[in-house]
Amino acid sequence: MADSLVIVESPSKAKTIGKYLGSKFIVKASMGHVRDLPKSQIGVEVENDFNPKYITIRGKGSILKELKDARKKVKKVYLAADPDREGEAIAWHLAHALELDDTEDCRVVFNEITKQAVKDAFKTPRKINMDLVNAQQARRILDRLVGYKISPLLWKKVKKGLSAGRVQSVAVKIILDRENEIDDFVPEEYWSITAKLTADGNPFEAKFHQLNGTKTELGSEAEVQAILKQIEGADFTVKEVKEKERSRNPSAPFTTSSLQQEAARKLNFRASKTMSVAQQLYEGVDLGKEGTVGLITYMRTDSTRIAASAQEEAKEYIIGKYGEPFAPETPRNYSKKATNAQDAHEAIRPTSILRDPDSIKSFMSRDQFRLYKLIWERFVASQMSSAILDTL
């Protein structure tokens, strides 16, 4: 008989985790948030220290009843929502709705949905992190305060039904500032000269760079014509040929934003579609005899950090597949580009590099395969040696 209840957000995640945990655990899905600010009013007491007024979301009554009934049958409840601010807030709301003691170690988090990661997470439950909860509440309250004031203005001036909030408002300001810069731009005329030459029967191009040893900018047609007169009928001499080796480092593994950009560029996916398919890969895909397995790590991250175990597995794979020269002597670590990056989770990567896309293609939909292939190839490349290019 089960003695523990585990609550996650989605049925697919519940199904995957349930297989890993066994019969001693009941795994239920809350279907996302169970409490939120009311839609019919602003829901924030501005004069009372911005206190939010939460209500049960319409349609979630039956889900809450099911969770409360399951709660009565077990000794322990674990809240295993996603490992971000939103997931922390979902866990906090569930704790209140189920009348749990949120100071107990009831929160379980894992960055990937694999058997080992899930079992390890349940060995070290923790308290609900109120800093993360408050961060989510602040964001939600700001959404409501800004949106409730700006959206009606949009309905009146632009179009009924449009929404605005903390993100759209700032984005509009950035666009306006950029548009003003474009309007204020003073164009400057510039010219270039390219000579089409041949040496030993091999054609090549040479661009004008300097005059009498001094770098010269061409700002008018008259200046160009003056140069052309000087070189008309002249013999050209190749003074020096410099051969160099240039190394090109691989790109870092994906963050949320870089994944969305690359999926849009290569797969023509919208951001919402990218995140929806990534969620499916994270929550688990049925791989036949292997069972349901989460194929990628958590997909909402601003970090390019990689776990040491994943780096080691990648090195072994690269050496075995391509040879030692293709693996760097020391694992590649990518620094944070943004100074305000939270670095709370790993970069987006496959949970095991050994699951190459083609070997599991038959278990995935077309969109799942294409996105997984993109993530897998980017991660493998990120752990390889730099490319050496010969340049002239």
Side-chain angles (χ1 to χ4, degrees):
M1 181 178 175
D3 55 13
S4 297
L5 170 65
V6 181
I7 304 176
V8 297
E9 302 99 312
S10 70
S12 58
K13 187 174 176 181
K15 180 181 177 182
T16 305
I17 292 172
K19 290 181 178 179
Y20 296 154
L21 294 177
S23 59
K24 289 189 176 181
F25 292 82
I26 301 172
V27 185
K28 298 282 187 180
S30 69
M31 307 301 291
H33 280 279
V34 292
R35 297 197 309 169
D36 196 8
L37 301 174
K39 289 185 177 181
S40 58
Q41 52 183 287
I42 197 165
V44 180
E45 298 175 343
V46 177
E47 303 299 327
N48 186 22
D49 203 21
F50 295 94
N51 184 50
K53 297 190 295 182
Y54 292 113
I55 62 169
T56 301
I57 297 173
R58 181 175 294 180
K60 291 297 181 76
S62 58
I63 294 174
L64 270 178
K65 183 180 183 305
E66 182 183 346
L67 294 176
K68 287 178 179 178
D69 289 343
R71 159 100 178 82
K72 295 174 184 177
K73 300 175 183 177
V74 297
K75 299 176 182 178
K76 181 73 176 177
V77 177
Y78 293 101
L79 306 173
D82 286 345
D84 57 7
R85 289 174 299 185
E86 208 69 33
E88 206 72 20
I90 289 173
W92 180 69
H93 286 303
L94 282 167
H96 276 260
L98 300 177
E99 298 179 353
L100 305 177
D101 184 356
D102 56 14
T103 62
E104 289 186 2
D105 293 337
C106 61
R107 181 78 171 106
V108 175
V109 293
F110 31 81
N111 192 49
E112 58 186 64
I113 303 179
T114 58
K115 189 172 185 177
Q116 191 60 49
V118 171
K119 289 199 168 187
D120 287 346
F122 275 85
K123 293 176 184 177
T124 56
R126 61 167 173 79
K127 297 177 178 63
I128 291 174
N129 187 330
M130 287 309 300
D131 287 339
L132 292 177
V133 173
N134 289 332
Q136 190 274 344
Q137 288 194 96
R139 185 181 67 179
R140 189 73 186 93
I141 290 168
L142 189 59
D143 267 336
R144 184 57 63 93
L145 293 177
V146 175
Y148 254 68
K149 293 179 180 179
I150 295 182
S151 293
L153 180 64
L154 281 178
W155 301 342
K156 184 178 179 181
K157 299 292 186 181
V158 184
K159 183 182 178 182
K160 190 74 174 175
L162 293 176
S163 67
R166 59 186 171 83
V167 176
Q168 297 101 316
S169 305
V170 176
V172 170
K173 175 68 164 60
I174 292 172
I175 292 169
L176 282 174
D177 288 346
R178 185 61 177 155
E179 190 67 28
N180 290 334
E181 289 178 11
I182 294 171
D183 291 340
D184 295 339
F185 175 72
V186 179
E188 295 180 3
E189 183 178 353
Y190 74 94
W191 292 71
S192 63
I193 301 174
T194 301
K196 294 185 177 181
L197 307 173
T198 302
D200 298 328
N202 298 313
F204 65 97
E205 293 185 349
K207 292 186 177 181
F208 172 78
H209 183 258
Q210 60 186 30
L211 181 64
N212 298 325
T214 305
K215 185 178 179 180
T216 305
E217 301 287 346
L218 302 175
S220 68
E221 185 178 2
E223 292 177 354
V224 172
Q225 292 300 332
I227 299 295
L228 291 176
K229 283 184 180 180
Q230 292 186 50
I231 63 176
E232 187 176 358
D235 291 328
F236 290 86
T237 302
V238 177
K239 184 179 179 181
E240 184 183 6
V241 176
K242 293 183 178 180
E243 295 185 14
K244 294 182 178 179
E245 280 191 351
R246 182 171 64 88
S247 66
R248 187 174 69 188
N249 294 328
S251 299
F254 284 128
T255 61
T256 302
S257 60
S258 61
L259 175 64
Q260 291 173 344
Q261 292 166 31
E262 197 73 352
R265 188 172 71 88
K266 290 188 174 179
L267 308 180
N268 202 28
F269 282 8
R270 292 190 175 190
S272 57
K273 181 175 182 177
T274 299
M275 297 311 291
S276 174
V277 177
Q279 183 87 33
Q280 296 166 18
L281 296 174
Y282 166 70
E283 291 185 346
V285 173
D286 190 345
L287 300 182
K289 291 182 180 179
E290 194 177 351
T292 304
V293 180
L295 295 180
I296 64 170
T297 54
Y298 192 54
M299 63 284 159
R300 293 184 181 90
T301 178
D302 58 7
S303 174
T304 53
R305 175 171 51 83
I306 296 295
S309 58
Q311 289 179 322
E312 186 61 33
E313 185 183 57
K315 183 177 181 179
E316 291 176 5
Y317 177 85
I318 292 166
I319 291 174
K321 179 90 173 177
Y322 304 103
E324 286 195 18
F326 290 87
E329 291 184 6
T330 57
R332 286 194 177 277
N333 292 304
Y334 295 87
S335 59
K336 294 186 293 182
K337 288 187 177 180
T339 55
N340 60 345
Q342 296 175 53
D343 199 41
H345 316 293
E346 276 190 74
I348 304 169
R349 62 167 176 83
T351 53
S352 174
I353 201 172
L354 302 179
R355 296 189 191 98
D356 67 90
D358 289 328
S359 70
I360 57 174
K361 182 178 181 179
S362 61
F363 300 104
M364 292 187 279
S365 68
R366 181 172 181 269
D367 287 340
Q368 288 175 339
F369 170 74
R370 294 171 74 202
L371 189 65
Y372 179 69
K373 188 171 185 284
L374 195 70
I375 294 168
W376 187 90
E377 289 179 346
R378 177 70 164 246
F379 173 64
V380 174
S382 75
Q383 298 303 302
M384 296 183 80
S385 300
S386 300
I388 306 299
L389 307 172
D390 292 328
T391 61
L392 291 177

